Amino acid sequence: MQGKGAMLDKLQDNELVTRFQQGQHDVFEELVSRYVGRLYSMGLRMCGNTDDAQDMLQETFVAAFKGMDAFRAEAKFSVWLFQIAKHACMRMRRKSKFSPREIFSLDELALGEDERKTLSVVDWHRTPIDELLNKELQGVLDETIHLLPSDLRMVLLLRDVEGFSAEETGKIIGASVSAVKSRLHRARLFARKHLHLYCQGEVRSHA
Amino acid sequence: MPDSKAKSIASKMTCKEIFAFLSEYVDGELSEELCEAIQTHNGNCPPCQAFVDTFITTIELVKKQPAKPLPPAVKDELNAALNRCREALDQAR
Ligand SMILES: [Zn+2]
């Protein structure tokens, strides 16, 4: 063998898939190293606990490994992999007892009369992002994401955390682009509301 | 588009209508006309402006979510599972 592996990190996902399909099965390790962190993070945020996230991760990569020969070159590997992960997440969820609380209605997420009066006072949007991203706020953000119903949470994670396009997200979850957009909008509004309530509490507690 | 036309669209937009377009506005998916209409509305409606600002901050915060650390044991078990798959596959050939 002539130094295989040395240059694997330079290859595109789909080139690695081709090598796998030609029998070079150890290239799968390179694909795992590219996606293991992202998939584990998503699993943890979707399942809410490390055991389920680990199961989901394992199930996803094992299914991907077994399905590699059926992968079509015109597809995008990351989209295909997250599709598998989405199904694994759903199976995990059916086993878990966790179900999110009632979400705000769209009207409650809009600019209400109360907020009309307080928003300019709170001013949390004027704080630089890096200053906002302290440990406490990170916890609040985790909680916010955790409180979203799973279909909204999945879309928020795929679009805003993973950076998939609306079209790719639709492929991953099996929904139309317009459904993706509407879920993303509601998820973002919910997150904004939750952060606003938190920041408002902060203002009050320091008063 | 002439300024007057943007103003006439904006003057008809209610706060509630602005609210429905915000994600597309932030994602750069709206027509120039609608963007201008929203900006004009917000210029005259401080609460909507503050709402949009906090909305954008929220999205930036979500986008900056760091990856969760992967416990080494999780990685080890995954590798073990994948090795078993590979052995099975190589034996089958
Ligand atoms: Zn307004």
Side-chain angles (χ1 to χ4, degrees), chain B residues 7-76:
Chain B
K7 278 201 184 104
S8 86
I9 297 176
S11 66
K12 288 185 201 116
M13 270 187 131
T14 63
C15 300
K16 213 173 173 176
E17 281 166 332
I18 300 277
F19 170 79
F21 285 119
L22 287 187
S23 271
E24 288 164 292
Y25 176 66
V26 173
D27 292 336
E29 293 165 354
L30 286 187
S31 68
E32 218 172 295
E33 289 181 341
L34 273 172
C35 286
E36 277 178 46
I38 289 175
Q39 280 154 9
T40 309
H41 175 101
N42 288 354
N44 300 313
C45 185
C48 272
Q49 182 62 59
F51 191 94
V52 171
D53 289 340
T54 53
F55 189 67
I56 291 171
T57 302
T58 301
I59 296 167
E60 284 174 1
L61 285 169
V62 172
K63 285 186 175 173
K64 282 202 165 190
Q65 285 291 288
K68 300 284 179 192
L70 179 69
V74 171
K75 185 81 206 288
D76 291 346

Side-chain angles (χ1 to χ4, degrees), chain A residues 25 29 40-41 45 54 58 107 110 116 119 124-125 129-130 138 141-142 160 181 185 188-189 192, chain B residues 15 19 23 27 29 47 50-51 53-54 58 60 63-70 77 86 89-90:
Chain A
H25 295 148
E29 275 168 43
Y40 181 73
S41 284
R45 291 185 174 118
Q54 176 170 11
Q58 202 140 315
D107 271 347
R116 228 169 224 293
L119 198 51
W124 55 281
H125 60 278
I129 294 282
D130 292 324
Q138 190 57 58
L141 264 173
D142 281 342
D160 283 345
K181 285 186 179 179
H185 189 48
R188 285 168 166 181
L189 288 169
R192 194 211 69 89
Chain B
C15 300
F19 170 79
S23 271
D27 292 336
E29 293 165 354
F51 191 94
D53 289 340
T54 53
T58 301
E60 284 174 1
K63 285 186 175 173
K64 282 202 165 190
Q65 285 291 288
K68 300 284 179 192
L70 179 69
E77 279 186 44
R86 203 161 87 197
L89 183 63
D90 290 340

